[in-house]
Amino acid sequence: MTHAHPYDAQIRSLYSQFIDGWNRRSGAAVAAGFADDGDIIGFDGSHHRGRLSIAADLRQVFAGHQTPAYVGLVRSVRPVAQGVAVLMAHAGMIQPDGNDLDPALNTVHTLVAVDEGGRWKISLFQSTPAAWHQHPELREQLTEELRGLLAPQ
């Protein structure tokens, strides 16, 4: 039996808040969970540093593009050192004009959380394509699993 990280719920909440802010297309809401010096590395490799910069940069992204919405599944939360934990998740994206996942946009989310005096914050959020070129069946399994999170049409 594995024991949950003592701050498991707080760290999962950081991820939920990130997804919610992204889906509401709010740079401020996405950035709110980040440490002052936090980093975000996007699906395309773009890198934004610092909570204020993340908020401003994402505000521009959301203003200029109809971004897809995320659905995500947390796979694990584990401590790596005192006051540091890593959350791993799989997520899919739904294009703004669609109602189904685009398997080409499936992603692995890595969130490094740090305890800042009792309040957990995101130090690093990274989105890596879940292309699995050698195992297309795994990509399809993930897509089907994520489809289970979609509201019935």
Side-chain angles (χ1 to χ4, degrees), residues 60-73:
Q60 285 187 310
V61 168
F62 293 140
H65 301 87
Q66 284 294 326
T67 50
Y70 278 121
V71 292
L73 287 168

Side-chain angles (χ1 to χ4, degrees), residues 124-135:
L124 171 68
F125 186 93
Q126 182 162 344
S127 186
T128 304
W132 294 322
H133 298 296
Q134 302 303 312
H135 297 281

Side-chain angles (χ1 to χ4, degrees), residues 47-111:
H47 186 179
H48 309 281
R49 284 191 175 97
R51 185 172 37 80
L52 297 177
S53 183
I54 291 167
D57 293 347
L58 289 180
R59 196 169 12 245
Q60 285 187 310
V61 168
F62 293 140
H65 301 87
Q66 284 294 326
T67 50
Y70 278 121
V71 292
L73 287 168
V74 173
R75 300 299 192 184
S76 64
V77 176
R78 64 183 172 86
V80 292
Q82 184 66 37
V84 182
V86 174
L87 176 147
M88 302 288 294
H90 283 129
M93 299 189 95
I94 306 160
Q95 293 292 355
D97 56 352
N99 58 12
D100 193 13
L101 297 168
D102 180 347
L105 298 179
N106 287 352
T107 185
V108 178
H109 283 159
T110 306
L111 183 156

